[in-house]
Amino acid sequence: MAESAASLGQFDFAGDDHVVPFQVEGLDVRGRAVQLGPLLDAILARHSYPAPVARLLAEAVVLTVLLGTSLKFEGKFTVQTKSDGPVDLLVADFSTPENVRAYARFDDEALAKAVAAGKTEPEQLLGKGVLAFTIDQGRFTQPYQGIVALDGASLEEIAGTYFRQSEQIPTRVRLGAAELFDRDEAGKPRHRWRAGGLVAQFLPEAPERMRQPDLHGGDGDTSVRAHVEDDAWAEARTLVETIDADELTDPQVGTERLLFRLFHERGVRVYEPKAVFDRCTCSRDKLKGVLQGFSAEEIEASQDNGEIAVTCEFCSTTYRFEVSEVADA
């Protein structure tokens, strides 16, 4: 890590919308933790998502921020689900070094039935499908994509499976979201969303210590695979699993305080926090370029009274174009 390390008490707490890198030397663990407040609230309020959808998208945003801020190059990291559940699409992307946006698509009728039946856990809302992690470094590069099946597990469990399959790094992810009802400084009722998360990875100097048990081979696989988990990682993983969901979102706990609670006996170090922002990457020029690639028939079908209106699904900004701006000369 290039950032300068510090200990609790040597600087102000990072606060909301700042990712805090950390290291636990005694356990050979590195990771990142974050609490999202105003940024997340703005993303969710923009579309007035129903609470179950908002909670699910909040977890996806936290996961995207935690993983996207680890990129050491200019590019974009995207988390996207496609599934057969009431929420059939989640998209959250992080553009380095600091911009995040997100969007969810859901079926109103299917969601209402799920809520009535009490089936509002993330895995129930998503159903069966796939979760894709995409890294795109821009022009002249081939995007990398890792795909994990949505099989009834939570987003944090699926993220762990991704790291196990794609990077062979022992990883534990924790995610949480909370809907808060309180009062502002003037005493007026206020509704807010908060979310938080942590990713911890086992990165010892000796690669053989990172060995993990083999993945199950599916139906009919009855082979026995002996495996002894490294003691340091077993301790770190157990500590991370003790985190209560409320700790991840409670502003009174804070990211650094949570890390201290977990790892102070092992000498946790925290590094310079990285701010993240609710910023969409759409623009009039980008959308104009897309429309200029349309055929004459597509232009005609898209226009209304000589005008084409395009609304960004992420930020809800509407761009209007005269047909003459985008049609072939």
Side-chain angles (χ1 to χ4, degrees):
M1 288 187 181
E3 302 92 343
S4 58
S7 61
L8 285 173
Q10 290 183 301
F11 56 90
D12 293 332
F13 288 123
D16 289 342
D17 304 338
H18 286 75
V19 178
V20 179
F22 68 90
Q23 181 175 1
V24 187
E25 293 180 354
L27 297 175
D28 293 314
V29 164
R30 295 184 183 183
R32 290 171 301 284
V34 70
Q35 284 193 347
L36 299 180
L39 174 153
L40 178 69
D41 211 31
I43 289 174
L44 299 181
R46 194 170 290 129
H47 294 278
S48 300
Y49 291 113
V53 179
R55 190 180 303 276
L56 184 58
L57 185 58
E59 289 192 2
V61 171
V62 173
L63 179 60
T64 303
V65 166
L66 287 172
L67 303 185
T69 50
S70 69
L71 299 181
K72 304 301 182 183
F73 50 80
E74 183 176 345
K76 179 180 289 187
F77 175 77
T78 303
V79 172
Q80 179 173 337
T81 68
K82 288 186 178 181
S83 58
D84 63 2
V87 182
D88 65 341
L89 177 71
L90 293 175
V91 183
D93 68 45
F94 182 88
S95 297
T96 59
E98 59 192 14
N99 301 331
V100 63
R101 62 180 188 169
Y103 169 73
R105 185 178 68 196
F106 61 96
D107 182 281
D108 286 300
E109 184 177 347
L111 179 64
K113 290 181 179 178
V115 171
K119 298 180 179 180
T120 57
E121 291 300 314
E123 53 270 27
Q124 294 171 320
L125 294 176
L126 289 172
K128 302 293 184 180
V130 295
L131 174 64
F133 297 85
T134 305
I135 297 175
D136 186 352
Q137 297 186 55
R139 296 179 62 188
F140 312 117
T141 63
Q142 185 71 27
Y144 166 80
Q145 187 172 77
I147 297 177
V148 186
L150 293 171
D151 57 0
S154 65
L155 280 180
E156 62 181 38
E157 291 171 332
I158 293 169
T161 299
Y162 163 75
F163 279 102
R164 184 174 172 184
Q165 291 179 346
S166 301
E167 301 187 21
Q168 289 80 51
I169 299 175
T171 302
R172 187 66 171 95
V173 178
R174 296 300 313 275
L175 305 171
E179 187 177 16
L180 303 183
F181 297 89
D182 57 9
R183 295 183 179 275
D184 61 19
E185 292 75 8
K188 296 181 180 180
R190 177 176 57 178
H191 168 255
R192 295 183 294 157
W193 281 96
R194 294 183 59 80
L198 177 148
V199 56
Q201 296 186 302
F202 185 49
L203 296 166
E205 291 186 7
E208 61 271 15
R209 293 178 59 200
M210 296 169 58
R211 184 178 177 184
Q212 300 177 82
D214 294 335
L215 292 169
H216 194 276
D219 294 341
D221 183 4
T222 59
S223 59
V224 178
R225 297 172 175 83
H227 170 75
V228 178
E229 188 174 48
D230 186 275
D231 289 343
W233 174 239
E235 180 180 343
R237 180 181 52 76
T238 300
L239 289 172
V240 171
E241 290 171 356
T242 65
I243 299 174
D244 187 85
D246 292 341
E247 292 180 288
L248 292 170
T249 59
D250 189 344
Q252 300 303 314
V253 174
T255 303
E256 292 90 348
R257 193 176 302 281
L258 174 59
L259 293 171
F260 182 78
R261 285 182 179 180
L262 288 174
F263 301 119
H264 68 279
E265 293 184 355
R266 287 296 197 164
V268 61
R269 295 171 179 261
V270 293
Y271 294 81
E272 191 72 23
K274 300 178 179 180
V276 290
F277 300 91
D278 163 35
R279 290 177 183 158
C280 191
T281 56
C282 72
S283 71
R284 182 179 179 82
D285 286 344
K286 285 183 179 180
L287 290 173
K288 183 178 179 179
V290 172
L291 292 174
Q292 287 175 331
F294 280 21
S295 66
E297 292 78 12
E298 290 171 324
I299 292 290
E300 177 61 27
S302 302
Q303 67 88 27
D304 183 17
N305 294 323
E307 182 182 78
I308 299 176
V310 181
T311 300
C312 176
E313 292 181 324
F314 289 94
C315 67
S316 298
T317 299
T318 298
Y319 299 88
R320 301 184 183 279
F321 303 87
E322 298 293 329
V323 170
S324 58
E325 293 182 75
V326 297
D328 291 334

